[in-house]
Amino acid sequence: MKKFITNILSLLLYTSTPLLLIGCADTRTGKVSATGAIYECLVVSSESVYDVVKPVMEADMPCLPQMESYFKVMHVVPSQFDSYLQPTRNILIVDIDSTKYTTLKVKVGRDLWSHPQAVYRIQSPNRADFDAYWEANSESVREWFVNEELQRQTRFYRASTNKDARHILQRDFHCDLLIPEDYILIMDTTLHSTLSTTLNSKLSTLNYRLIWCCNNKGPMRRDLVIYSYPYTDQRTFTLDYLCQKRDEVLGQVVTASVEGSYMGTEYRIFPPQYKVLATGDRRQETGEYTAELRGLWKIYGGEAMGGPFVSHTVLDESRQQVITAEVFLYAAGQKKRNALRQAEAILYTLTLQPEKE
């Protein structure tokens, strides 16, 4: 009973917005509003199963300047999972019962008891089958909850956007991005870079089209940069190439107060990570190839400034253009997980315009 009360209190004491165990009804769905903060998850399972689940769900997120977990996790045993806890926004239920199940089954659901809500059920006849499933799929389960949170945030951005910045993207970049209204356009430019070709060592000029938006409200600064350039190299979608482009472009536009200072990627402490994204309805429908970079940035030759960044890069095959959208944060001494995830969700709204006939 003491632990149950502690878990209830932990559900109440989160930092972002007030929590009500019984929320108001959502007019669109007829469900009560989900309770709990973003990136919190309630695990409904036995104590021994929770001991296996917790380290995965509370693992440290990569490429943050300080340790922050993927999720804040709470736990109750199945007998304590009642109507007060059912509206929780993220729920992982592990039910092991040989009298109810003959084979392991996985079920995912949305808005079962509240809105918005994500529920992941693992039903197993025995502990051995569950352990085998969790060992093979635990990170995928965690990623499913991350994607649910990202999709919720992208739906929120549709309400109000920066129309001027989006107009520039549609006109000059032939793409669209749901840039929030509170991200102010602070730069719209074309950069020039001189490089030598691999065939004849002659110098040529490469143009980068770039816009930069910033949300500097409150104690944390959030920046969004979109830039494009011609697709000229088959090595474009690699870690080294995209990092090189990032340093080349952002090093020209992002500086500090010390003359000669510039932004660059941090390679020594937390090297940047690269992966190909295959999630999201838009990518499944269009087959667009998206590369993600995740890492830390720092100011070289100036103040001790830095923070996390995430970028998405896509190829506009019809126009042979590479488009990169990146968010980066600066918030000295503050936790950054939730703010970075909220900004990162903007990147998932990137869409390419079809070429006109």
Side-chain angles (χ1 to χ4, degrees), residues 206-217:
L206 185 65
N207 293 330
Y208 297 94
R209 191 71 178 85
L210 179 143
I211 67 169
W212 180 3
C213 299
C214 175
N215 180 343
N216 201 20
K217 296 180 180 179

Side-chain angles (χ1 to χ4, degrees), residues 209-235:
R209 191 71 178 85
L210 179 143
I211 67 169
W212 180 3
C213 299
C214 175
N215 180 343
N216 201 20
K217 296 180 180 179
M220 183 177 297
R221 175 175 173 133
R222 304 166 176 86
D223 290 270
L224 169 65
V225 177
I226 305 100
Y227 56 92
S228 67
Y229 52 91
Y231 177 63
T232 60
D233 197 316
Q234 293 181 345
R235 301 169 302 164

Side-chain angles (χ1 to χ4, degrees), residues 251-267:
Q252 295 186 56
V253 298
V254 184
T255 62
S257 59
V258 177
E259 185 177 355
S261 62
Y262 60 94
M263 173 191 274
T265 305
E266 167 60 56
Y267 293 98

